[in-house]
Amino acid sequence: MLQRLPLMLAALWWGGISALSFLAVPLLFAQLGNPAVAGPVAAKVFSLQCWAGVVIGGLLLVLIKRDKPTPEAFNTLGLVCLAMLLALVQEFGVAQKIVTARASGGDLRLWHGVGSLMVLGQWLCAGAILWRLSRQPSDTQ
């Protein structure tokens, strides 16, 4: 079972980003109707997504390094680190810029775009991690 845990964690990470970012948050804005109401709730969802990614990524770093000391594993570890970095930059950099832009009349559109690119980057990394971990041994030859 411990052998399949990295795959399950990668699936949870990718699926969580997919569900929260591409379904839940747009649904919030559609149903609540008012961006001033939906925005803070969406910010909480993205913050939750960041911390889930950091925890899952940390677990993957430990499990992949322990299980597969191969060049392929190190490439996967690089993707894990990149996804975690994107999540943390989004949480501590971009999210703060969005709050500041909303309060000061700054370029909210720019920072939302940057945040969206960060989420897309995390989703692509998590998808690549899931893809790599789901390969059968015969797929790597």
Side-chain angles (χ1 to χ4, degrees), residues 50-86:
C50 164
W51 292 112
V54 168
V55 169
I56 292 169
L59 290 169
L60 284 172
L61 288 175
V62 170
L63 293 169
I64 293 170
K65 186 168 174 40
R66 182 183 58 83
D67 285 346
K68 301 178 183 178
T70 65
E72 179 74 17
F74 288 111
N75 291 337
T76 304
L77 290 173
L79 287 169
V80 171
C81 290
L82 178 58
M84 291 172 67
L85 178 64
L86 287 168

Side-chain angles (χ1 to χ4, degrees), residues 30-141:
Q31 292 300 308
L32 295 177
N34 184 348
V37 175
V41 178
K44 295 278 188 199
V45 168
F46 284 121
S47 184
L48 171 69
Q49 181 178 298
C50 164
W51 292 112
V54 168
V55 169
I56 292 169
L59 290 169
L60 284 172
L61 288 175
V62 170
L63 293 169
I64 293 170
K65 186 168 174 40
R66 182 183 58 83
D67 285 346
K68 301 178 183 178
T70 65
E72 179 74 17
F74 288 111
N75 291 337
T76 304
L77 290 173
L79 287 169
V80 171
C81 290
L82 178 58
M84 291 172 67
L85 178 64
L86 287 168
L88 290 169
V89 169
Q90 178 187 343
E91 178 72 10
F92 293 109
V94 176
Q96 298 307 313
K97 294 289 189 182
I98 291 172
V99 169
T100 302
R102 186 178 294 128
S104 67
D107 198 346
L108 191 59
R109 187 174 179 175
L110 167 71
W111 291 111
H112 272 117
V114 171
S116 295
L117 287 174
M118 296 267 182
V119 170
L120 179 62
Q122 292 169 60
W123 182 74
L124 290 171
C125 285
I129 294 161
L130 178 58
W131 186 269
R132 287 170 172 267
L133 293 177
S134 66
R135 286 189 207 168
Q136 298 297 320
S138 61
D139 292 348
T140 59
Q141 295 175 357

